Amino acid sequence: MILNKRIIRELKDNWVRYGALAFLIIFSLALVVSMAGSTDVVNYTIDKNNEKNRLEDGEFSVYVPLTENQQQQLEKLGARTEAAFYVDLPGPEKSILRIFKNRNNINTIELEAGRLADQTGEIVLEKHYAENHRIDVGESMIVNHKSYLVTGIATVPDYSNVVQNVSDVLADLTQFSLGFVSEAEFNQLLAEDLNVEYNYSYKLDGNLTASELKEKLIDLDFDKNRVANKYMQEIINTIEKGKNDLSGGVNELADGTQKLANGTSSLEQGSSELAAGAGSLANGTDQLSSGLEELTSANVTLNKAADDVFQGMIAQVNSEFEKMGITVTVTGDNYGTVIDRLIKTIGESDANAVMALNTMKAQLDSYKAFKEGLSAYTNGVESAYSGSLELSAGADGLYQGSLAVASGVNTLRNGSAELNSGMGELKNQVTNFIDQNMDYQYVNLITFLEADDNQRITSCKSDAAINKNSALIAGVIILTLIAYMISVFVIHTIDKESAVIGALYSMGYVKKELLRHFMILPTVIVTAASMLGTGLGFLLIGENIKENVAYYSYPGYTIVFPPYLLIYGILLPILIALFVNYMVINNKLSMAPLKLLRREKKQHPLTNIDLKEMGFINRYRIRQLLREIRGNITLFCGLSIAILLMVFGFSIYGSVSAYVNNVASDVAYNYLYLLKYPMETAPGDATKAYTESLTADLYLTGGEMDVTVQGIDDENPYFDFSLAGEKNDVVISDSVANKFGYKVGDEITLSDNLEDRNYNFRVKEVVNFASGLYIFMDINNMRELFGKEDDYYNTLMSDQELSIEAGRIATVITVDKMVAAARQMFTMMYGLVITILGASVLLFAIVMYLLVKMMIDKSTFSISLIKVFGYNEREIKKLYLGTTFYTVALSTIIAIPVSKMIINKIFPYMVSNVSAGMNATMSPQSDLIMVAIILGAYAAVNFMVGRHLKKISLVEILKERE
Amino acid sequence: MFIEVNDIKKSYGEGGSYVQVLKGVSTGIQKGQICAILGPSGSGKSTLLNTIGGLDTIDSGSIKINDIEISKLNPKESSLYRRNLLGFIFQFYNLVPNLTVKENIQVCEYLTKTPLDINELMEILGLSEHQKKFPSQLSGGQQQRCAIARALIKNPELLLCDEPTGALDYQASREILMLIEKINKKYGTTMLIVTHNTAIKEMVHRVIKIKDGQISQDYANTVLKPASQLEW
Ligand SMILES: Nc1ncnc2c1ncn2[C@@H]1O[C@H](COP(=O)(O)OP(=O)(O)OP(=O)(O)O)[C@@H](O)[C@H]1O
Ligand SMILES: [Mg+2]
């Protein structure tokens, strides 16, 4: 079609406009695609690697290695396990290398270079470590005073975040990493080093769940004597001793009773042969005395043990009451009345509770009876003993008292028989009691960690997720902007072509032909630009994930082209262009051709407003503004979207940097030690605290997130808020408040998933504490709540480093490390933040330029006209650009606060995977900077459009008619 | 009758700005005739021409071309009617600015299967030497000739001209009129010419005068004066 010849010329004549639009599309799409694509590439690479190298479903560690038999047993149940024992050995430059043997089935080694170590004296290194220490394949290195030949460089899927402890916040890829040696080499190491972690990886085949596996592991038998960990051995010894004491007492008691029975029966014999055998009586009384003596000596232990048990039951009842929310305290003496009163108060209203209370009372009663029986019995033994002494002493007056003796012996015999038969019962009961209540079943399992909870495995992907969220939000804003700009552009272009379309239409061109013709240029531009932009985006992915690749340990990435990105990047803009073109042209062609020829437009009623009172320039300006009301609304909307993007850019920048700063300023201690095995006496210069990890529901994601509950006392020097209040009052950090949306006065529920228990708290106060997700409560209330002794602690805070045996420590958190971790997160986001920020500024300028230029283009005719009338440039600029200033100012005033509101709403979703509660903050300077940017962009655009105004020729008016 | 106009009425605006432009116009024009429409400014000449051309709607009455009621055509049929039957010469040329003279003509050549010879047409209209120029590089008369060539290239049965000589000088106007005469003779094209030039009425078959939206005079010339002899 000959008409299409005009397309190239149209493009040439308006290349700035088309170029700006194309640039806008290319730039925006490159941004969106590279940001979103980066995450996909990371995720894809990791997923693929995890599958290829058979990532574990989880891992666990034990005190004593599983036997072959046990492993087979587990496999039969549906859990395949593989030993991943390790030792941490000193490597070069004070680094620590965690040495594993080669893996066969789970978490297999992905070689990046070289080969696996298959001889002794060979080692394969984790890739970042090798890189940081500049060690290549073929070189040798010293680990623990022994020289190794490096045969390969590799990664493993279970250590993509190479941290020493699972709870470490930050990996230091020079200080700590992994090495893999042959099985033979590893066995040699085991022989010399005792500090082995018996770690296992597992994979489930679907017949067994992780918690079932955990149950199985807890139940597995093992040889207690082989526990190598000395702290655990200490605990075992203490418990065993207590158990032995109690059962020893009972055994003594039984022995004594047996002797008593023997004595009694001898006594009986003796008394029946009273006359004949005074000597045998004397014998009998002796035996009796010694039996009773033995018996008496066991009395104290026995009574004490029984009383302890009873007090334990009372304590149990009290804690049960507390759980039920009943605020009474029972003692051994008052429980009967108290429970009766409770039953009366509850009455018929809760039959279950009454039943429970009754059962509780009956149990206490029966045990009390048992206890009292025991005490009566021991009293009996005591008096029998003193009686027997008397008996012995009175042997001389035997004859006189023989009648009394006979009857006394008879009674004694009866009592003794009863006692003996009762004894068996007692012994059974005590043994049962020990079995059931004092059965410290030693569990071999030390840790159990599912892959989903293992930040060595998950943190790379969840890190990428924030970036993805930001990318998607920025992407949505940018795509909206593009869609908007394409629409405005198309509408404007078609408007300008109105007369041509009208002429062609009146000459008999049909709609289809015109549609086709006028859609070619915008479609081609948008298609080319979106393809270029998307292509460029994919090329930029490498740059985007540089930080991620440098920090996490995973194999080289492969670029993937996710279909949704191709749809968003290429198809969507084209469809928008096609659709808008179609709608606009179609709408145009539904007008009578004559109207098109005359460029008739619907005049806004406001256009006719009476402005008599005003000065001419103002009047003209306002008329121009009203006449261009559509153009100005268009400008307003476009700028608002661009400002939204800018506010988003400033917000993530502001929030992340505020987070880093707050972490440093909120934490007052320098060292925080979480202890696995707290020592009996804590170092004097440290402050004790009690820390538990619970989970809270996160409504944002519908999932859960770990929070740390920390019990501190009011004297704690590192916190300046008071914890006094009700038992379940807690003080939460602003981080927690932001993340979970808690407010002062809220009742919150946290759960302990391992124990399957819920705890309720009431929020008393919100305090500034940026690092992590902390909830603080009074340490005594917390001990009580979690059933710990009055002086329990597991956390030490200190200004200086403490000398604590390494084996006791679970984690050490230093403020430096926390800040470094926050910085690391910042670094990882930095590129993205800067990109979004820069892009938003640039996009803002382009959008403003395009929109203002379009408005001026529309007025070319009248500008030419008033030039002819003799207006000078300054006046013309005032007339035609003055109006845009009001619009720019208005968009700034309205869009900035509105955008902030929108971003504040979106932001929590963006950081929903981060276990820190950031909210969207912008420094006050940011507002100024944004206004400056807007004004700057306005000035630049003003200048450029001003130059264009100058170029509008006087003869424009002679050639065309409006 | 080739063109039958029957009591057409046309108004613009509403309320205060309501104007009735055509107040019941009826006439008929035979095939192959040239008809001049004269009248004072604002009398409704262009409006009449545009309604006949299907560019504008009417309030009532009927317009039949070749027995087809064109006021009842939908937009698509209307544009097909224009495509197949009509040539338009606008008062303000309406050339496509970023196409050359030749290309502007070709735009309409495309619309028919039986176009005239484009080079011959450009030769007749004196456009050959300007064929590579863009409209902005042409004088008003040259632009008008280009617009005429564009209208004629598809050899339409009916040519509608709104002040074809309005922007031209005496000499140029006469050339255009001679051309129109020639085309009419050669191809038997029916022509409606709206004009202020009263001299034209001597060279046409029919003269219709419009005053205030109504036909004030309507007659046929028995003797036609050749365009070359017109003087004004
Ligand atoms: N779109 C319109 N809206 C309102 N009024 C219109 C419109 N088009 C034309 N008119 C009015 O209709 C009347 C006739 O206009 P028209 O263009 O037909 O006159 P004309 O006879 O061609 O005049 P001229 O010789 O000056 O071209 C005029 O009074 C004009 O103001
Ligand atoms: Mg007219």
Side-chain angles (χ1 to χ4, degrees):
Chain A
M1 197 159 66
I2 187 79
L3 202 51
N4 293 340
K5 280 206 169 168
R6 59 181 289 282
I7 290 174
I8 306 274
R9 291 175 195 149
E10 162 79 17
L11 186 60
K12 249 196 230 155
D13 291 344
N14 297 298
W15 68 270
V16 181
R17 241 159 33 92
Y18 286 104
L21 178 75
F23 181 73
L24 180 81
I25 297 174
I26 293 172
F27 184 75
S28 317
L29 288 177
L31 196 71
V32 175
V33 169
S34 69
M35 286 189 303
S38 302
T39 328
D40 294 315
V41 166
V42 172
N43 285 348
Y44 175 80
T45 306
I46 294 219
D47 288 342
K48 206 182 66 177
N49 180 46
N50 287 351
E51 198 183 321
K52 180 182 167 204
N53 289 303
R54 281 161 290 176
L55 173 72
E56 63 183 29
D57 287 331
E59 58 185 64
F60 58 88
S61 61
V62 290
Y63 290 111
V64 177
L66 302 186
T67 63
E68 198 120 311
N69 206 359
Q70 287 173 325
Q71 268 181 294
Q72 278 166 8
Q73 205 183 320
L74 288 174
E75 179 147 9
K76 230 176 278 160
L77 289 169
R80 163 181 272 222
T81 54
E82 183 174 350
F85 301 168
Y86 60 78
V87 286
D88 284 357
L89 299 178
E93 295 167 59
K94 288 191 178 164
S95 63
I96 294 171
L97 272 177
R98 178 160 291 177
I99 307 295
F100 293 90
K101 66 176 187 200
N102 291 334
R103 285 115 178 247
N104 296 323
N105 291 311
I106 305 177
N107 301 328
T108 49
I109 300 168
E110 174 74 20
L111 279 170
E112 200 115 298
R115 59 168 176 82
L116 292 177
D118 50 21
Q119 311 285 321
T120 53
E122 290 181 349
I123 192 167
V124 166
L125 289 179
E126 185 277 323
K127 72 170 185 180
H128 288 312
Y129 181 88
E131 210 172 276
N132 292 342
H133 289 267
R134 293 173 209 289
I135 302 173
D136 273 334
V137 173
E139 295 179 7
S140 49
M141 67 182 296
I142 308 282
V143 180
N144 200 22
H145 316 298
K146 183 175 171 185
S147 177
Y148 286 88
L149 174 71
V150 177
T151 62
I153 307 286
T155 61
V156 281
D158 56 328
Y159 274 86
S160 65
N161 185 14
V162 193
V163 288
Q164 191 167 8
N165 299 306
V166 174
S167 54
D168 281 356
V169 280
L170 187 65
D172 184 337
L173 294 154
T174 315
Q175 278 307 302
F176 173 81
S177 197
L178 313 174
F180 301 91
V181 298
S182 67
E183 186 157 3
E185 174 69 35
F186 195 76
N187 288 339
Q188 279 183 21
L189 287 174
L190 289 191
E192 59 193 66
D193 194 299
L194 282 173
N195 214 352
V196 189
E197 284 292 332
Y198 297 109
N199 198 62
Y200 289 84
S201 310
Y202 68 81
K203 245 178 139 43
L204 301 172
D205 68 1
N207 292 323
L208 201 66
T209 65
S211 55
E212 281 166 358
L213 172 63
K214 192 178 168 196
E215 290 298 314
K216 288 278 168 317
L217 290 169
I218 289 173
D219 290 346
L220 277 186
D221 268 346
F222 73 109
D223 183 353
K224 289 192 285 286
N225 301 321
R226 286 188 55 207
V227 172
N229 185 304
K230 65 174 176 180
Y231 307 104
M232 190 57 203
Q233 198 62 66
E234 235 170 59
I235 292 172
I236 293 177
N237 291 341
T238 320
I239 293 173
E240 283 302 300
K241 188 163 167 291
K243 232 162 104 173
N244 289 337
D245 285 353
L246 187 57
S247 70
V250 173
N251 284 337
E252 270 172 49
L253 185 67
D255 286 353
T257 315
Q258 190 54 53
K259 280 188 189 153
L260 178 67
N262 293 344
T264 320
S265 104
S266 308
L267 185 62
E268 196 194 6
Q269 236 178 353
S271 82
S272 67
E273 298 163 13
L274 186 63
S280 76
L281 177 62
N283 250 358
T285 46
D286 273 358
Q287 259 188 45
L288 178 64
S289 282
S290 84
L292 282 172
E293 184 177 9
E294 215 164 308
L295 204 50
T296 316
S297 75
N299 280 350
V300 179
T301 325
L302 198 55
N303 274 323
K304 169 106 178 28
D307 196 51
D308 283 348
V309 171
F310 186 59
Q311 291 309 327
M313 286 174 81
I314 290 289
Q316 181 72 24
V317 168
N318 275 330
S319 87
E320 211 68 39
F321 279 170
E322 202 170 316
K323 252 185 278 168
M324 289 161 70
I326 301 170
T327 51
V328 293
T329 317
V330 297
T331 65
D333 298 328
N334 74 356
Y335 75 86
T337 36
V338 170
I339 293 180
D340 282 344
R341 209 165 55 226
L342 272 176
I343 291 175
K344 210 175 282 165
T345 349
I346 294 171
E348 241 102 281
S349 68
D350 191 343
N352 282 338
V354 170
M355 203 156 87
L357 285 170
N358 276 326
T359 320
M360 211 178 257
K361 184 167 168 248
Q363 273 173 2
L364 285 172
D365 282 346
S366 69
Y367 193 85
K368 194 177 185 189
F370 159 70
K371 193 190 107 173
E372 277 161 359
L374 184 65
S375 135
Y377 158 77
T378 50
N379 286 342
V381 170
E382 214 117 307
S383 44
Y385 177 55
S386 57
S388 77
L389 289 181
E390 271 171 44
L391 185 65
S392 205
D396 294 339
L398 172 68
Y399 192 73
Q400 293 93 321
S402 64
L403 279 177
V405 171
S407 93
V409 165
N410 204 30
T411 320
L412 183 63
R413 198 189 70 107
N414 285 346
S416 159
E418 219 169 277
L419 187 66
N420 208 9
S421 81
M423 192 56 227
E425 185 115 333
L426 175 71
K427 197 179 160 189
N428 278 344
Q429 276 185 23
V430 172
T431 315
N432 277 349
F433 179 77
I434 292 175
D435 282 351
Q436 280 164 21
N437 299 306
M438 296 182 71
D439 184 18
Y440 293 99
Q441 188 204 22
Y442 300 105
V443 176
N444 194 10
L445 193 62
I446 310 172
T447 59
F448 187 88
L449 189 59
E450 289 180 56
D452 286 345
D453 300 326
N454 185 347
Q455 67 133 345
R456 285 184 186 129
I457 293 167
T458 57
S459 67
C460 177
K461 277 176 87 172
S462 60
D463 240 20
I466 317 174
N467 282 12
K468 176 145 188 164
N469 291 343
S470 334
L472 288 183
I473 294 170
V476 168
I477 302 176
I478 290 173
L479 282 176
T480 314
L481 187 67
I482 292 184
Y484 183 76
M485 290 306 289
I486 292 176
S487 316
V488 170
F489 193 86
V490 166
I491 292 171
H492 172 74
T493 311
I494 299 300
D495 248 15
K496 230 185 56 180
E497 304 283 10
S498 208
V500 175
I501 295 175
L504 294 171
Y505 201 28
S506 34
M507 285 180 310
Y509 269 85
V510 291
K511 208 157 149 179
K512 213 169 63 189
E513 290 163 339
L514 292 173
L515 267 173
R516 208 184 302 145
H517 171 70
F518 282 97
M519 272 162 86
I520 290 176
L521 187 54
T523 311
V524 166
I525 299 255
V526 170
T527 308
S530 55
M531 276 164 48
L532 267 174
T534 305
L536 193 63
F538 281 113
L539 289 180
L540 287 175
I541 284 179
E543 181 61 25
N544 265 353
I545 60 176
K546 214 170 56 187
E547 291 291 342
N548 193 291
V549 167
Y551 183 74
Y552 291 109
S553 182
Y554 54 82
Y557 61 87
T558 28
I559 294 280
V560 283
F561 301 94
Y564 84 95
L565 266 187
L566 297 177
I567 289 173
Y568 274 110
I570 299 178
L571 211 54
L572 201 65
I574 296 176
L575 287 180
I576 293 169
L578 285 177
F579 177 77
V580 176
N581 261 294
Y582 181 82
M583 292 309 288
V584 176
I585 296 174
N586 201 35
N587 184 39
K588 278 258 157 215
L589 296 185
S590 64
M591 291 209 268
L594 197 62
K595 292 192 170 158
L596 287 173
L597 275 173
R598 289 198 182 134
R599 292 192 175 210
E600 239 175 62
K601 268 180 230 149
K602 278 191 202 109
Q603 294 262 309
H604 200 273
L606 273 177
T607 319
N608 299 324
I609 200 168
D610 192 10
L611 297 167
K612 270 191 233 92
E613 302 298 310
M614 289 186 170
F616 173 71
I617 292 279
N618 278 337
R619 204 170 356 146
Y620 196 102
R621 248 195 223 174
I622 290 180
R623 276 228 192 282
Q624 171 71 10
L625 178 74
L626 293 175
R627 208 176 80 94
E628 284 299 328
I629 197 88
R630 239 184 61 187
N632 278 296
I633 291 173
T634 310
L635 180 63
F636 176 85
C637 297
L639 292 186
S640 299
I641 305 175
I643 288 174
L644 177 65
L645 187 67
M646 201 147 74
V647 170
F648 181 66
F650 275 102
S651 291
I652 28 179
Y653 181 85
S655 314
V656 178
S657 46
Y659 174 70
V660 175
N661 292 338
N662 292 343
V663 165
S665 64
D666 290 346
V667 183
Y669 47 80
N670 290 329
Y671 290 87
L672 180 109
Y673 294 87
L674 279 175
L675 303 176
K676 264 188 288 195
Y677 306 105
M679 341 25 135
E680 211 101 307
T681 42
D685 49 352
T687 308
K688 286 188 202 172
Y690 173 26
T691 307
E692 285 279 346
S693 187
L694 298 178
T695 59
D697 290 337
L698 187 58
Y699 67 96
L700 285 174
T701 58
E704 292 180 327
M705 187 163 268
D706 283 353
V707 294
T708 307
V709 181
Q710 206 155 62
I712 53 181
D713 55 37
D714 267 341
E715 280 90 67
N716 192 311
Y718 303 111
F719 301 95
D720 54 8
F721 45 84
S722 158
L723 289 156
E726 297 289 314
K727 276 204 167 167
N728 63 346
D729 273 359
V730 290
V731 170
I732 63 174
S733 69
D734 49 354
S735 215
V736 170
N738 285 333
K739 186 104 234 164
F740 302 98
Y742 297 154
K743 292 179 298 293
V744 171
D746 280 3
E747 291 283 341
I748 62 177
T749 304
L750 305 179
S751 43
D752 183 338
N753 286 344
L754 288 179
E755 305 268 310
D756 215 2
R757 250 191 98 166
N758 282 348
Y759 298 92
N760 291 318
F761 301 101
R762 203 183 66 89
V763 179
K764 196 188 102 178
E765 200 188 334
V766 177
V767 294
N768 290 333
F769 199 83
S771 175
L773 293 168
Y774 277 92
I775 292 182
F776 303 100
M777 74 183 292
D778 179 76
I779 191 165
N780 288 322
N781 291 342
M782 183 159 163
R783 284 168 181 149
E784 202 178 316
L785 183 64
F786 289 91
K788 300 286 185 200
E789 295 104 78
D790 289 349
D791 55 352
Y792 182 81
Y793 76 99
N794 63 2
T795 307
L796 289 172
M797 299 167 183
S798 155
D799 290 331
Q800 286 97 38
E801 198 168 349
L802 301 172
S803 60
I804 298 174
E805 293 153 283
R808 294 190 180 275
I809 300 174
T811 319
V812 189
I813 299 173
T814 68
V815 172
D816 292 349
K817 262 205 222 165
M818 273 195 225
V819 174
R823 282 244 165 76
Q824 173 62 31
M825 187 176 91
F826 189 60
T827 317
M828 217 105 63
M829 291 184 71
Y830 195 74
L832 178 88
V833 172
I834 292 298
T835 315
I836 291 181
L837 199 59
S840 68
V841 172
L842 197 60
L843 288 180
F844 180 84
I846 299 176
V847 165
M848 178 134 89
Y849 174 75
L850 270 173
L851 291 173
V852 172
K853 181 84 177 6
M854 277 179 211
M855 279 172 66
I856 297 294
D857 277 358
K858 269 189 201 162
S859 304
T860 307
F861 180 78
S862 56
I863 292 172
S864 166
L865 188 67
I866 69 164
K867 267 190 176 179
V868 172
F869 290 165
Y871 282 83
N872 66 28
E873 243 165 59
R874 234 182 43 124
E875 288 164 329
I876 293 171
K877 232 174 151 176
K878 225 172 167 185
L879 286 175
Y880 284 91
L881 290 176
T883 57
T884 57
F885 180 77
Y886 297 123
T887 310
V888 172
L890 194 70
S891 350
T892 311
I893 293 166
I894 294 177
I896 291 183
V898 171
S899 300
K900 277 189 189 172
M901 260 164 51
I902 296 173
I903 299 297
N904 279 339
K905 287 258 176 299
I906 299 175
F907 205 78
Y909 292 92
M910 207 188 93
V911 292
S912 59
N913 329 52
V914 190
S915 67
M918 279 184 262
N919 61 355
T921 40
M922 259 173 63
S923 59
Q925 299 98 291
S926 310
D927 282 311
L928 288 180
I929 295 173
M930 282 199 317
V931 172
I933 289 171
I934 293 169
L935 289 181
Y938 176 73
V941 169
N942 213 357
F943 173 76
M944 285 170 70
V945 175
R947 269 193 0 191
H948 173 75
L949 277 182
K950 219 184 276 182
K951 273 195 273 178
I952 293 179
S953 78
L954 293 173
V955 293
E956 194 89 28
I957 182 176
L958 303 175
K959 285 191 189 137
E960 231 189 300
R961 104 191 171 110
E962 198 173 38
Chain B
M1 281 293 157
F2 182 58
I3 304 175
E4 274 182 74
V5 175
N6 205 343
D7 194 26
I8 56 173
K9 290 182 180 153
K10 168 81 187 170
S11 59
Y12 285 114
E14 277 163 44
S17 58
Y18 178 88
V19 273
Q20 182 145 32
V21 179
L22 297 178
K23 303 170 178 171
V25 174
S26 306
T27 188
I29 293 151
Q30 271 164 357
K31 198 168 169 64
Q33 288 200 335
I34 305 180
C35 171
I37 302 173
L38 292 125
S41 183
S43 55
K45 305 182 294 292
S46 297
T47 308
L48 176 63
L49 197 73
N50 289 339
T51 54
I52 292 173
L55 299 184
D56 213 346
T57 53
I58 52 174
D59 301 341
S60 66
S62 85
I63 302 169
K64 280 188 182 162
I65 314 283
N66 248 355
D67 285 331
I68 301 166
E69 179 57 60
I70 62 134
S71 62
K72 303 236 156 52
L73 297 179
N74 66 26
K76 192 173 173 187
E77 292 163 341
S78 169
S79 76
L80 281 175
Y81 151 69
R82 291 195 298 271
R83 184 186 188 116
N84 296 332
L85 225 63
L86 283 195
F88 258 108
I89 301 171
F90 304 100
Q91 194 167 358
F92 304 97
Y93 330 125
N94 286 319
L95 297 173
V96 180
N98 36 22
L99 290 181
T100 62
V101 168
K102 188 171 184 184
E103 285 160 0
N104 258 291
I105 302 169
Q106 283 172 325
V107 163
C108 283
E109 186 183 23
Y110 164 86
L111 293 173
T112 177
K113 288 197 184 71
T114 54
L116 302 180
D117 184 90
I118 185 162
N119 291 320
E120 189 186 316
L121 190 64
M122 283 194 298
E123 198 55 47
I124 293 172
L125 285 162
L127 289 170
S128 300
E129 54 185 309
H130 303 298
Q131 57 173 294
K132 293 231 167 73
K133 290 186 180 167
F134 288 98
S136 60
Q137 296 165 324
L138 295 176
S139 74
Q142 288 159 346
Q143 286 188 46
Q144 184 65 305
R145 274 183 273 158
C146 179
I148 293 171
R150 188 175 67 174
L152 291 177
I153 184 75
K154 60 179 187 178
N155 195 11
E157 278 184 62
L158 175 60
L159 184 66
L160 302 175
C161 318
D162 197 342
E163 313 225 19
T165 62
L168 305 181
D169 69 6
Y170 176 76
Q171 195 51 40
S173 301
R174 218 163 62 172
E175 276 171 25
I176 298 284
L177 292 174
M178 284 160 67
L179 203 77
I180 286 174
E181 189 177 53
K182 201 158 125 194
I183 300 284
N184 171 257
K185 283 213 178 98
K186 189 163 176 191
Y187 301 110
T189 315
T190 313
M191 296 177 174
L192 285 181
I193 304 174
V194 167
T195 182
H196 281 288
N197 188 343
T198 43
I200 290 178
K201 66 184 177 191
E202 294 173 53
M203 63 165 273
V204 298
H205 305 99
R206 269 288 282 288
V207 176
I208 296 172
K209 282 193 178 168
I210 296 192
K211 202 179 164 190
D212 199 16
Q214 277 171 322
I215 294 182
S216 61
Q217 229 183 347
D218 187 351
Y219 63 89
N221 282 325
T222 40
V223 189
L224 304 187
K225 201 172 183 177
S228 55
Q229 288 169 26
L230 293 181
E231 288 197 29
W232 62 90

